[in-house]
């Protein structure tokens, strides 16, 4: 099978011909149809973050495909079923986080395309209990970005407290932000979309943002405070300045949900204002299997639209360069069919 492999953090990925792996008793073998490119894959391939993967490894945690074989202990999915392989490859299932709906915080978790091989390949192994079924009628090319970009923003918008009567700022309308904006609207919030490129500001308008702020020429916090401030802000732009602008846009009691992970991310906060204003700052990492099932259901009902572009796995290195150069305005999805 064909796989894109990271052998060295300083070198391009190599397209290799590998043996199709055999599933362990708890695993499924998934024939990958589509695999989304998440910015995290680039950080993984470059070893950017404090906790690094160990080369050689196959990136990819937006994998969607058909279960081709299942080990004898797999009970919840069947051969022939379409499933998603998300970032949470598996967790212990027993710790306090796992049993209270916070499996994404489990200290014993493994992560697809990071600590275990991911979905930049024609086949991938996955834990039978941690793949998420993709419902009938959901295009696998849409399901791929929903498996990380979708579930991550869905969770962050929930944590930011979006509901009717609230105002929610979405900072960065790219692969994640265009979905965050749609979820904030689904939850009934008034939405403020912030970006620095014309096409993304236009996309925000097309998706129904109530307010659009161009951070190149407008003072984001000033504009949002003129509206009365934001109850919630979701930080998706990879820039330290945008984090602070989102924080400064909050009204009293507001929540800033941090999602984007720049290699050198820092946010300096004034303690006085944070205390006086009762501001909450939370980190939000992906979402649970249940969150992803909800994301798929909303898409099945026609409530969300995924903006994406199709690419070939062989072009993975060029795709990374395009993403880093800010040349793509949508989620890139490798079509392996
Ligand atoms: Zn991701
Ligand atoms: Zn656990």
């Amino acid at each position: 099978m064909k796989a894109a492999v990271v052998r060295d953090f300083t070198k391009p990925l190599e397209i290799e011909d590998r043996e199709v792996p055999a599933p362990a008793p708890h695993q499924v073998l998934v024939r990958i149809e589509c695999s989304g490119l998440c910015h995290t894959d680039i950080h993984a391939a470059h070893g950017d973050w404090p906790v690094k993967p160990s080369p050689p490894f196959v990136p990819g945690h937006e994998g969607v495909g058909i279960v081709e074989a299942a080990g004898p202990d797999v009970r919840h999915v069947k051969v022939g079923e379409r499933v998603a392989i998300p970032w949470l490859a598996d967790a212990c299932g027993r710790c306090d986080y796992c049993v209270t709906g916070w499996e994404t915080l489990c200290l014993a978790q493994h992560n697809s395309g990071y600590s275990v091989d991911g979905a930049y390949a024609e086949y991938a192994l996955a834990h039978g209990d941690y793949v998420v079924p993709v419902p009938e009628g959901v295009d696998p090319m849409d399901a791929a970005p929903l498996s990380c970009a979708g579930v991550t923003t869905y969770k962050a918008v929930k944590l930011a407290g979006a509901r009717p009567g609230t105002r929610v700022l979405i900072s960065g309308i790219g692969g994640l932000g265009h979905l965050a904006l749609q979820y904030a609207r689904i939850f009934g919030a008034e939405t403020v979309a912030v970006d620095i490129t014309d096409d993304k500001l236009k996309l925000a308008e097309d998706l129904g943002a109530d307010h659009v702020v161009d951070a190149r020429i407008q003072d984001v916090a000033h504009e949002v405070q003129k509206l009365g401030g934001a109850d919630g802000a979701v930080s998706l732009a990879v820039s330290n300045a945008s984090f602070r602008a989102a924080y400064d846009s909050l009204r009293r009691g507001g929540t800033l949900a941090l999602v984007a992970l720049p290699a050198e991310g820092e946010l300096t906060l004034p303690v006085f204002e944070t205390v006086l204003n009762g501001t909450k700052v939370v980190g939000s990492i992906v979402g649970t299997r249940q969150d992803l099932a909800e994301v798929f259901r909303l898409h099945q009902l026609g409530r969300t639209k995924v903006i994406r572009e199709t690419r070939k796995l062989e072009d993975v290195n060029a795709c990374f360069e395009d993403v880093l150069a800010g040349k793509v305005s949508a989620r890139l999805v490798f079509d392996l069919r």
Side-chain angles (χ1 to χ4, degrees):
M1 68 168 192
K2 195 164 55 188
V5 182
V6 176
R7 295 220 157 253
D8 188 316
F9 292 137
T10 63
K11 298 209 173 86
L13 278 74
E14 286 175 28
I15 303 292
E16 295 182 3
D17 191 25
R18 288 187 159 192
E19 292 275 301
V20 175
H26 65 285
Q27 285 180 320
V28 287
L29 173 69
V30 180
R31 178 167 47 78
I32 300 292
E33 300 174 289
C34 314
S35 195
L37 192 169
C38 176
H39 213 118
T40 292
D41 302 330
I42 301 178
H43 291 301
H46 293 170
D48 279 336
W49 289 335
V51 180
K52 296 180 199 311
S54 317
F57 69 96
V58 178
H61 57 272
E62 287 187 348
V64 171
I66 305 294
V67 176
E68 190 149 293
D73 297 345
V74 174
R75 286 186 300 275
H76 302 288
V77 287
K78 292 183 193 69
V79 169
E81 200 170 341
R82 177 172 287 131
V83 296
I85 302 176
W87 172 250
L88 188 72
D90 64 51
C92 80
R94 293 176 190 279
C95 71
D96 59 333
Y97 296 118
C98 280
V99 300
T100 58
W102 285 99
E103 61 193 20
T104 50
L105 302 183
C106 177
L107 287 160
Q109 72 182 275
H110 292 99
N111 299 114
S112 309
Y114 211 91
S115 53
V116 297
D117 279 343
Y120 280 18
E122 288 176 313
Y123 289 88
L125 293 175
H127 195 303
D129 286 341
Y130 285 83
V131 291
V132 176
V134 178
E136 206 60 44
V138 173
D139 185 333
M141 288 295 285
D142 287 345
L146 290 173
S147 303
C148 180
V151 73
T152 297
T153 52
Y154 181 72
K155 187 69 160 195
V157 168
K158 271 188 182 176
L159 284 177
R163 62 183 175 277
T166 61
R167 188 177 297 114
V168 171
L169 170 88
I170 307 294
S171 174
I173 308 298
L176 277 79
H178 84 283
L179 288 160
L181 175 59
Q182 295 177 69
Y183 294 127
R185 283 171 48 77
I186 288 169
F187 289 133
E190 177 183 337
T191 51
V192 186
V194 179
D195 209 285
I196 53 167
T197 64
D198 292 333
D199 56 339
K200 287 175 183 169
L201 294 166
K202 168 76 169 51
L203 174 61
E205 265 172 29
D206 293 347
L207 292 170
D210 296 298
H211 314 276
V212 172
V213 179
D214 183 345
R216 288 170 302 189
I217 53 168
Q218 288 175 291
D219 179 335
V220 174
H222 180 71
E223 294 301 320
V224 182
Q225 292 298 348
K226 274 201 301 198
L227 298 167
D231 299 280
V234 180
S235 224
L236 303 166
V238 188
S239 115
N240 287 335
S242 78
F243 297 158
R244 185 53 199 259
Y247 172 87
D248 289 334
S249 300
L250 294 173
R251 66 196 291 262
R252 286 197 158 183
T255 302
L256 170 60
L258 296 175
V259 179
L261 287 170
E264 311 281 337
E266 288 279 351
L267 173 61
T268 305
L269 297 179
V271 173
F272 186 80
E273 281 85 353
T274 304
V275 171
L276 238 72
N277 294 336
T279 305
K280 294 178 278 292
V281 178
V282 296
S284 186
I285 174 82
V286 295
T288 62
R289 289 167 283 179
Q290 178 59 29
D291 291 317
L292 183 51
E294 291 170 19
V295 159
F296 283 152
R297 178 64 176 154
L298 284 170
H299 197 70
Q300 187 186 30
L301 293 170
R303 304 283 295 278
T304 50
K305 185 178 170 189
V306 177
I307 311 290
R308 53 171 166 78
E309 286 174 22
T310 305
R311 297 290 167 97
K312 284 203 183 85
L313 188 63
E314 290 82 350
D315 299 331
V316 60
N317 293 304
C319 291
F320 277 20
E321 282 168 28
D322 286 352
V323 170
L324 289 173
K327 281 190 197 159
V328 291
S329 54
R331 201 70 160 176
L332 299 185
V333 182
F334 301 115
D335 191 344
L336 290 130
R337 292 171 291 182

